Structure formats: C-alpha cells, structure tokens
Amino acid sequence: MKTLNQQLTEIQVVPVIAIKDASKAAKLAQVLIENGLPCAEVTFRTEQAVQAIKNMREAYPEMLIGAGTVLTSEQVDQAIEAGVDFIVSPGFNPTTVKYCQQRGVAIVPGVNNPSLVEQAMEMGLTTLKFFPAEPSGGTGMLKALSAVYPVKFMPTGGVSPSNVKEYLAIPSVLACGGTWMVPNDLIENEQWDELAALVAEVANIIR
C-alpha cells in the first residue's frame, strides 16, 4: 500500500473544495477522478463537509480524500468517522497534532516560518502544508526553508496555473493545494463539463 507522501507525489495537485451541497459531492468526485486528479481536500468551512466526505468515500472507496481547515479534536473525530485518509490544518496547533497522532490519522499542518517548521519536526512531522504560500514569500521562502530542513511541503494559498509548475519544481514539494479548478459557482450550478475542462487543464499542465 502506498504511503500518503507517495500518493501526493503522484497526484501533484490537490483540489481544495468548500462544498455547500453534499448531494453534489459524488458527481464532483467522479469529475476529478475521470479528468486526472483523483483526490480531494474537503474543507470544514461549510456545514456540509462531513456528509460530502461520506458521499465521496461511499462512491469512490479508492479515492484519496482529506479533510481541510480542521481546527478542533471534534472535527478530527468527524473527519475520521466520515472516512478521510488525512487531515489538513491551516496552522500548527500542537493539540490537534497530538490528537491526530493518538487517533492514528496523518495530519499535514500549516507552517510558514522556520520556528513552526522546527516545532512540527519536534513532534515527528516531516510533511507540512506551506500556508498561505504566496503571501508568505512564495517559492523564495519555500526554497529557503527547504535548504535548511529535511521536510516535505504542500504549498497552498495563491497557487495558480501561472505558478504551480514553479512550486512543483522545488524538490521538497510533494504536491500543491489549489481551488482554481473547483470554483464554487460551477459546483453549485452543476456545470460538470466546465469543471471537467478545468481539472483536465491542470492534469495537462503538471504532466
């Protein structure tokens, strides 16, 4: 069985989704899989997140699914119950990290400076989210951190078609997180063909 890092390295771009209607989750998952991005980070920024994850997992058991914007131990429990493969948090919260470790689920917490990277490493973490990537110095800051610390990064926040290849060219970058290929209005309006085109475009850029 492949590790999380191996799967992220293969996928390269993780669609970050804030879904408002869980009934659309399975169809969205189908579009992602069929167009080259068999992964989703469903953020806990909407009330429908847990049900959306459940629907995706039920429809596509092999899909790589993460829960994003996880801020509390309660949300960790909800995400695990829904069937996620990994947890993502915007910042580095030692309490959340410890709880994920106790529950046996991988967590990729957000960091954007040397002190946070060292705190994460102290807790045994070697895969971290670089967030918010562009406001925190972009590829320049990421290269500086990578020169010092033996960790892998998933930059998210300001990653776009114009810079994703620059991020992925950095050896320490496993994958990038992005929202541009899963805009909320297209999901809400069930514009699946338009979504498919955006996802396929990303798959073509990175491959």
Side-chain angles (χ1 to χ4, degrees), residues 114-133:
S115 296
L116 291 173
V117 174
E118 291 192 19
Q119 289 177 56
M121 289 176 65
E122 184 72 16
M123 296 188 70
L125 300 176
T126 57
T127 301
L128 307 170
K129 175 179 179 176
F130 179 56
F131 180 82

Side-chain angles (χ1 to χ4, degrees), residues 17 161 176:
I17 299 158
C176 293

Side-chain angles (χ1 to χ4, degrees), residues 5 11 17 27 44 52 57 72 74 78 84 96 100 112-113 138 143-144 147 168-169 171-172 175 182 199 204:
N5 280 14
I11 291 166
I17 299 158
K27 180 61 179 180
F44 269 63
R57 175 57 70 217
T72 66
E74 180 184 14
Q78 291 173 337
V84 298
T96 304
C100 285
N112 70 345
N113 64 56
K143 288 175 182 176
L168 291 171
S172 65
V182 282
V199 174
N204 289 332

Side-chain angles (χ1 to χ4, degrees), residues 15-30:
V16 179
I17 299 158
I19 192 163
K20 296 177 181 177
D21 182 353
S23 69
K24 298 178 172 67
K27 180 61 179 180
L28 176 59
Q30 180 186 344

Side-chain angles (χ1 to χ4, degrees), residues 6-14 36-39 64 206-207:
Q6 287 171 330
Q7 293 179 80
L8 290 174
T9 301
E10 288 179 3
I11 291 166
Q12 294 206 293
V13 173
V14 176
L37 295 180
C39 177
L64 183 65
I206 59 181
R207 296 181 178 90

Side-chain angles (χ1 to χ4, degrees), residues 4 9 25 27 41 48 51 61 63 68 71 76 94 111-112 115-116 125 142 150 153 158 161 185 194 197:
L4 175 61
T9 301
K27 180 61 179 180
E41 177 190 323
Q48 294 281 297
Q51 189 60 50
M63 187 179 188
L71 305 176
V76 172
V111 300
N112 70 345
S115 296
L116 291 173
L125 300 176
L142 199 49
F153 292 101
D185 58 331
E194 289 86 344

